[in-house]
Amino acid sequence: MIIGITGTDGAGKGLVVEYLVNQKGFTHFSSRALILEEIHKRGLPSDRDHLRLVANDLRREFGNEFLIKKSYEIAEREGVQSAVIESLRAMAEVEYLKAHGGVLIAVDADQRLRYERIQSRQSESDAVTFEKFIEQEALEMNDPDPSGMQKAAVIAAADYVILNNGTPDEVYVQIGSMLEKLS
């Protein structure tokens, strides 16, 4: 089974991935890791703006489904049967996922709560004001760049939506319910 994860920043995509990996034996593939690898090759800062711009460059050069296709290729080469691919950001990635039998989960939470979460993780890409966070999110929801992020459309295309405004245990219940429906 292949599960793609999408959602808003700070919503808890990582929490869902952790559960699938630690409790259900899935193998994790990270689009962010692929983008960061390219950022380091280019000698750029690993802030959120550069993550977006480099991802757009990769999609422009190799196709809008490049990031998920790369994860699928690695999974196939390594013989992985149950994979979770984090984070889908373009509709071409959703189409690729679904054409290959995958399921898409979107994770969301209240915007202020998500901002507080990203501030607490203290990563370089999250060192922004609330106003900048809102501005970045608005662009990422429907980037006018044809190779840009289309988070709003991707989230709308999800097979399942997990709301993470509460505790991790509440999220685990939602994941369990979703997995029951899939089996």
Side-chain angles (χ1 to χ4, degrees):
M1 173 185 301
I2 306 290
I3 295 178
I5 304 286
T6 191
T8 51
D9 280 20
K13 295 179 297 293
L15 181 66
V16 174
V17 169
E18 273 180 35
Y19 179 86
L20 291 171
V21 169
N22 296 332
Q23 302 300 318
K24 301 298 178 181
F26 280 71
T27 300
H28 178 218
F29 294 91
S30 168
S31 297
R32 181 183 180 102
L34 294 172
I35 298 164
L36 283 171
E37 184 179 314
E38 183 66 21
I39 281 176
H40 293 128
K41 282 182 193 173
R42 296 180 185 191
L44 298 170
S46 38
D47 58 32
R48 188 166 164 185
D49 288 328
H50 282 93
L51 282 164
R52 180 179 53 78
L53 293 171
V54 170
N56 291 0
D57 284 350
L58 291 170
R59 286 190 207 95
R60 191 175 299 105
E61 184 173 350
F62 300 109
N64 283 345
E65 73 287 348
F66 171 74
L67 293 167
I68 193 166
K69 187 175 180 183
K70 184 91 168 156
S71 293
Y72 260 88
E73 289 169 359
I74 296 167
E76 188 173 277
R77 187 172 59 242
E78 294 178 359
V80 173
Q81 297 299 309
S82 297
V84 57
I85 302 172
E86 176 193 23
S87 296
L88 280 70
R89 299 292 193 221
M91 283 306 296
E93 294 171 331
V94 174
E95 292 160 6
Y96 190 93
L97 174 76
K98 292 187 178 192
H100 290 82
V103 175
L104 181 62
I105 299 172
V107 186
D108 199 8
D110 172 75
Q111 189 176 51
R112 178 58 81 169
L113 177 60
R114 291 187 293 104
Y115 177 72
E116 291 168 6
R117 287 177 182 157
I118 71 158
Q119 291 305 295
S120 69
R121 64 188 182 199
Q122 298 181 344
S123 79
E124 183 179 352
S125 64
D126 296 324
V128 295
T129 64
F130 184 61
E131 292 73 23
K132 179 72 172 174
F133 175 76
I134 292 170
E135 176 186 312
Q136 289 171 328
E137 184 163 87
L139 177 59
E140 294 167 2
M141 284 296 185
N142 192 20
D143 192 329
D145 181 336
S147 300
M149 290 188 210
Q150 305 155 343
K151 282 186 190 179
V154 172
I155 291 167
D159 299 297
Y160 299 93
V161 176
I162 293 175
L163 295 175
N164 181 18
N165 289 319
T167 67
D169 286 338
E170 291 170 333
V171 171
Y172 303 152
V173 168
Q174 292 178 68
I175 300 168
S177 173
M178 179 211 61
L179 290 173
E180 280 181 27
K181 290 176 187 172
L182 289 172
S183 55

